[in-house]
């Protein structure tokens, strides 16, 4: 049974009032994939739940990943069979829950002369990978000879290519996935709020009994009471844990991962590629999406500001070097980068291991006063991580009647697309309508994968705008209305970064969006002149940082 209220920015004040006067079974801190996953699992088992996020949903690592729902092929090298099996199987479940967000994607793995991958080991590795994840039929890996690889990926250098393989993965939009899980949790009855930090803990009988919060929109403080508190703040887990007790024993180890984006014309790969970094025992992805190709990632120890993670010249050099050595005719240059992002992995420290050797397993910690923290893991495994945390939380409320875990069958949009086929059919239907109105066909794919079944409502709203504007402008306005009234959007960057990914995948549209979005927000939010100025500055800094590196 749904809540009956949209996830609207207008409901924020009443939501805060409710949060301040309720006693919840569970309070979750952190609105990345881990936190929202826990909120959805807990509320659908029958707990009363609230969640606070200090920035926007998915503004931490969950908006800055490689955007793959994958089993993590490379973890086989570390013999992490259980991890590969669990996340490998999750891929198909998440695809069924939201086929427009978790989309099948064939990955090509080329075997290059002098590279670290041999044919026999690759074939065995991919066989085990498919086996652990229960991959069947057409989707099973296929080993290819040189000519077959060149046929599907002519950009690869013929003189250096030995052959390759093609195997099944899924691509996603990490921020959209997080936002849809948040919306579903809200719809099922959880109270979730962004731009609100947990700044401290409340105690009763020497146990954590609530949190103090600062609402960054109004600068007001309030307290939320709850029987159990879970810290799901990713890279900030230790920082928040230390507000409860000194962090000893296991702790976080952060590694930075950078992605760069170039125009598809400059790096026209036909498929997603996973290839060796020459001279380094690592691999990177090149993934085509809309009109761009993105390349990533780096993996280096990080101990600087978690709120401002910048892309540095050496990150760019590493990635460009890897691409240019593998594709010698490409000559990609730093000036051609049109967008970029950097995030940090919240890994669990292990003695003597380098950044890329550290396990991606998740771990749960509990302090003497009952604060539960969860860190590590992957976007792909969020549902199972949530299940483990909520199992632990459930043990703390033996008198409460709870349902078993439900999330395997809860679709992430309502209504939902039932299959991949439906996604493809809806995309071609929309493409036709869009082209008729004079907009580029790729907007159909952009809109369907962003908004799922809500897309028709947005498109109809765009067509109904009775103003002397281009169809592109009308579409932006309709998207803004949707994100404002259904997706808790509060700031302009929420729109171009996390609600739509336009800043990464349609960067050429950002100038037009800027002309429309500031008057829109001014109108809705009644900003003062300094607020308007501040938002302009933040926007300009963000846009600058996409291709100016430190
Ligand atoms: P976060 O997303 O960082 O969420 C924590 C949230 O807590 C943040 O939004 C933060 O603002 C909030 N917060 C912090 N302090 C407070 C406070 N005091 N009060 C309130 N809120 C607070 N996984 C995959 O499965 N597939 C991939 O392709 C993949 N690629 C990756 C590539 C890179 C470069 C990186 C860095 C990671 C990648 N991962 C991938 C891993 C995956 O992205 C992470 O495991 C996952 O996003 C972590 O989510 P989280 O919710 O734990 O952390």
């Amino acid at each position: 049974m749904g809540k009956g209220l949209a996830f609207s920015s207008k409901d924020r004040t009443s939501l805060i009032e409710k949060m301040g006067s309720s006693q919840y079974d569970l309070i979750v801190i952190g609105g990345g994939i881990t936190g929202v996953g826990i909120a959805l699992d807990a509320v659908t088992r029958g707990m009363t739940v609230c969640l606070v996020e200090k920035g926007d949903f998915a503004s931490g690592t969950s908006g800055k990943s490689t955007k793959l729902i994958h089993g993590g092929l490379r973890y086989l090298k570390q013999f992490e069979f259980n991890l590969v099996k669990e996340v490998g199987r999750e891929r198909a479940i998440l695809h069924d829950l939201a086929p427009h967000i978790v989309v099948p994607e064939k990955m090509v793995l080329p075997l290059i002369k002098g590279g670290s991958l041999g044919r026999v080991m690759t074939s065995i590795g991919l066989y085990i990978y498919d086996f652990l994840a229960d991959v069947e039929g057409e989707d099973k890996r296929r080993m290819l000879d040189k000519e077959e690889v060149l046929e599907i990926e002519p950009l690869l250098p013929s003189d250096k290519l030995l052959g390759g393989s093609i195997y099944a993965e899924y691509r996603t939009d990490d921020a959209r996935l997080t936002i849809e899980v948040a919306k579903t949790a809200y719809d099922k009855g959880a109270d979730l709020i962004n731009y609100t930090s947990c700044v401290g803990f409340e105690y009763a009988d020497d146990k954590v009994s609530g949190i103090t919060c600062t609402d960054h929109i109004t600068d007001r403080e309030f307290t939320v009471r709850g029987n159990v508190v879970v810290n799901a703040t990713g890279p900030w887990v230790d920082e928040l844990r230390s507000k409860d007790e000194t962090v000893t024993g296991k702790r976080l180890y952060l590694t930075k991962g950078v992605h760069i984006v170039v125009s598809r014309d400059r790096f026209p790969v036909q498929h997603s590629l996973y290839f060796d970094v020459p001279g380094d025992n690592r691999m990177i992805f090149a993934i085509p999406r809309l009109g761009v190709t993105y390349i990533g990632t780096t993996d280096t120890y990080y101990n600087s500001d978690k709120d401002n993670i910048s892309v540095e010249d050496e990150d760019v050099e590493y990635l460009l070097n890897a691409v240019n050595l593998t594709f010698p005719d490409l000559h990609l240059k730093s000036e051609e980068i049109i967008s970029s992002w950097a995030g940090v992995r919240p890994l669990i420290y292990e003695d003597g291991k380098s950044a890329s050797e550290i396990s991606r397993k998740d771990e749960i910690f509990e302090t003497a006063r009952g604060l539960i923290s969860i860190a590590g893991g992957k976007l792909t495994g969020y549902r199972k991580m949530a299940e483990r945390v909520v199992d632990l939380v459930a043990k703390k409320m033996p008198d409460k009647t709870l349902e078993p875990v439900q999330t395997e069958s809860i679709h992430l949009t309502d209504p939902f697309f039932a299959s991949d086929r439906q996604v493809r059919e809806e995309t071609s239907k929309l493409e036709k309508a869009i082209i008729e109105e004079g907009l580029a066909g790729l907007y159909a794919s952009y809109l369907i994968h962003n908004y799922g079944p809500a897309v028709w409502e947005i498109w109809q709203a765009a067509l109904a705008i009775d103003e002397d504007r281009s169809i592109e402008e009308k579409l932006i306005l309709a998207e803004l209305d949707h994100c404002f009234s259904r997706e808790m959007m509060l700031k302009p960057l929420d729109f171009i970064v996390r609600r739509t990914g336009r800043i990464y995948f349609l960067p050429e549209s950002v100038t037009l969006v800027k002309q429309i979005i500031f008057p829109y927000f001014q109108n809705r939010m009644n900003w003062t002149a300094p607020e308007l100025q501040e938002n302009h500055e933040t926007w300009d800094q963000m846009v600058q940082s996409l291709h100016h590196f430190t």
Side-chain angles (χ1 to χ4, degrees):
M1 175 69 82
K3 212 179 206 179
L5 279 174
F7 195 39
S8 168
S9 316
K10 282 187 295 194
D11 297 332
R12 200 167 185 277
T13 313
S14 54
L15 198 54
I16 291 181
E17 269 166 29
K18 181 181 171 202
M19 286 167 78
S21 59
S22 304
Q23 169 78 33
Y24 292 95
D25 292 326
L26 173 64
I27 298 172
V28 183
I29 310 162
I33 193 68
T34 310
V36 299
I38 294 168
L40 178 60
D41 188 314
V43 75
T44 50
R45 288 204 215 183
M47 294 180 195
T48 54
V49 182
C50 89
L51 179 148
V52 294
E53 160 54 52
K54 77 176 172 132
D56 189 16
F57 300 111
S59 58
T61 308
S62 300
K64 293 161 187 160
S65 77
T66 307
K67 306 180 194 298
L68 289 173
I69 293 298
H70 65 155
L73 182 56
R74 71 186 191 81
Y75 310 133
L76 280 184
K77 268 196 191 169
Q78 292 154 262
F79 303 107
E80 301 224 43
F81 295 118
N82 285 339
L83 177 70
V84 174
K85 187 171 168 176
E86 180 174 295
V87 289
R89 291 184 178 183
E90 277 302 289
R91 299 178 305 178
I93 296 174
L94 300 184
H95 169 63
D96 286 347
L97 299 182
H100 64 288
I101 311 178
V102 178
V103 183
E105 175 88 7
K106 287 282 171 151
M107 192 71 71
V108 173
L109 193 152
L111 301 172
I112 309 265
K113 274 182 205 159
S116 69
L117 298 170
R119 192 171 180 86
V120 176
M121 286 316 285
T122 304
S123 174
I124 297 172
L126 285 170
Y127 174 82
I128 299 172
Y129 191 61
D130 282 352
F131 173 76
L132 290 173
D134 277 344
V135 175
E136 286 177 349
E138 290 275 283
D139 279 342
K140 282 190 178 164
R141 69 98 174 86
R142 253 184 338 118
M143 294 306 292
L144 308 172
D145 63 27
K146 177 176 161 175
E147 278 64 40
E148 286 171 314
V149 178
L150 283 174
E151 203 170 301
I152 56 171
E153 205 47 82
L155 204 63
L156 282 160
S158 159
D159 54 336
K160 290 201 206 163
L161 192 66
L162 297 171
S165 59
I166 185 161
Y167 66 103
E169 289 285 19
Y170 293 82
R171 73 183 150 85
T172 191
D173 188 300
D174 46 7
R176 284 298 321 173
L177 180 67
T178 304
I179 288 163
E180 295 297 357
V181 175
K183 282 161 65 183
T184 309
Y186 183 82
D187 184 53
K188 301 285 176 194
D191 295 329
L192 295 90
I193 194 154
N194 49 1
Y195 292 103
T196 300
S197 289
C198 162
V199 290
F201 297 103
E202 299 277 305
Y203 297 91
D205 301 328
D206 212 24
K207 289 279 167 207
V208 180
S209 63
I211 59 173
T212 29
C213 301
T214 302
D215 168 8
H216 297 298
I217 302 295
T218 60
D219 279 335
R220 285 208 205 110
E221 289 228 333
F222 62 99
T223 301
V224 187
R225 292 192 307 276
N227 300 338
V228 181
V229 178
V230 169
N231 167 12
T233 55
W236 294 265
V237 154
D238 282 351
E239 196 175 301
L240 199 64
R241 269 207 296 166
S242 69
K243 288 190 195 291
D244 177 52
E245 67 174 31
T246 309
V247 173
T248 52
K250 289 209 170 176
R251 61 181 193 279
L252 287 192
Y253 182 91
L254 304 181
T255 77
K256 181 168 86 161
V258 165
H259 291 82
I260 53 173
V261 182
V262 294
S263 127
R264 184 97 174 255
D265 293 344
R266 274 301 280 122
F267 192 11
V269 283
Q270 310 291 315
H271 289 82
S272 289
L273 294 181
Y274 189 35
F275 57 96
D276 265 327
V277 175
D280 197 354
N281 198 17
R282 292 194 62 243
M283 296 186 72
I284 61 168
F285 293 100
I287 302 179
R289 180 155 163 183
L290 298 176
V292 306
T293 300
Y294 66 91
I295 304 153
T297 169
T298 60
D299 197 358
T300 49
Y301 173 64
Y302 188 78
N303 66 353
S304 305
D305 184 359
K306 296 185 280 295
D307 291 297
N308 287 299
I309 309 158
S310 49
V311 176
E312 289 165 65
D313 284 331
E314 60 212 71
D315 302 318
V316 170
E317 205 177 301
Y318 177 88
L319 294 172
L320 287 181
N321 206 29
V323 172
N324 286 331
L325 284 171
T326 306
F327 299 86
D329 294 337
L330 207 60
H331 307 296
L332 264 187
K333 295 186 200 66
S334 165
E335 306 85 85
E336 292 174 294
I337 295 171
I338 51 178
S339 197
S340 61
W341 67 89
V344 285
R345 302 171 182 86
L347 308 178
I348 316 291
Y349 178 78
E350 289 175 67
D351 249 348
K353 291 211 172 165
S354 73
S356 37
E357 284 166 351
I358 288 186
S359 168
R360 267 57 178 167
K361 279 198 302 271
D362 55 282
E363 295 233 10
I364 299 174
F365 317 87
E366 191 173 347
T367 63
R369 293 193 285 184
L371 174 69
I372 297 171
S373 298
I374 172 137
K378 293 188 65 63
L379 188 79
T380 310
Y382 83 87
R383 216 185 51 82
K384 296 303 278 182
M385 284 166 72
E387 192 178 320
R388 285 190 275 280
V389 171
V390 179
D391 282 347
L392 176 64
V393 173
K395 285 197 186 124
K396 297 184 182 294
M397 37 192 85
D399 299 336
K400 190 158 176 106
T401 311
L402 295 169
E403 301 288 331
V405 63
Q406 310 279 310
T407 51
E408 191 165 342
S409 56
I410 296 173
H411 289 276
L412 299 184
T413 55
D414 179 17
F416 57 89
F417 287 142
S419 65
D420 208 27
R421 187 167 152 207
Q422 195 186 0
V423 174
R424 284 197 303 272
E425 284 169 2
E426 297 283 324
T427 309
S428 15
K429 216 159 77 185
L430 185 64
E431 191 173 10
K432 203 161 158 264
I434 269 179
I435 291 173
E436 265 170 29
E437 291 297 327
L439 203 57
L442 63 72
Y443 271 92
S445 174
Y446 155 75
L447 288 168
I448 291 269
H449 292 297
N450 255 5
Y451 301 110
V455 76
W456 291 107
E457 208 178 300
I458 296 171
W459 180 241
Q460 291 307 330
L463 294 180
I465 293 173
D466 188 18
E467 287 175 39
D468 186 18
R469 286 180 179 274
S470 70
I471 184 65
E472 199 174 353
E473 291 172 328
K474 290 180 183 180
L475 178 62
I476 293 168
L477 278 171
E479 288 181 75
L480 284 170
D481 273 346
H482 175 82
C483 295
F484 191 76
S485 59
R486 303 284 179 83
E487 304 206 331
M488 204 57 97
M489 173 183 73
L490 288 169
K491 300 198 174 188
L493 287 179
D494 298 350
F495 181 72
I496 51 160
V497 182
R498 290 162 293 270
R499 301 297 176 289
T500 66
R502 277 175 177 265
I503 200 159
Y504 307 126
F505 306 116
L506 288 173
E508 67 284 359
S509 72
V510 167
T511 309
L512 179 64
V513 173
K514 187 179 179 193
Q515 286 162 21
I516 296 172
I517 203 167
F518 280 90
Y520 182 94
F521 265 82
Q522 180 74 14
N523 203 3
R524 295 279 179 305
M525 307 293 269
N526 295 321
W527 280 339
T528 58
E531 279 171 336
L532 178 64
Q533 168 82 6
E534 192 191 322
N535 275 287
H536 262 289
E537 281 169 12
T538 320
W539 177 288
D540 291 342
Q541 273 164 19
M542 173 78 190
V543 172
Q544 272 282 320
S545 73
L546 298 175
H547 35 74
H548 287 90
F549 312 116
T550 54

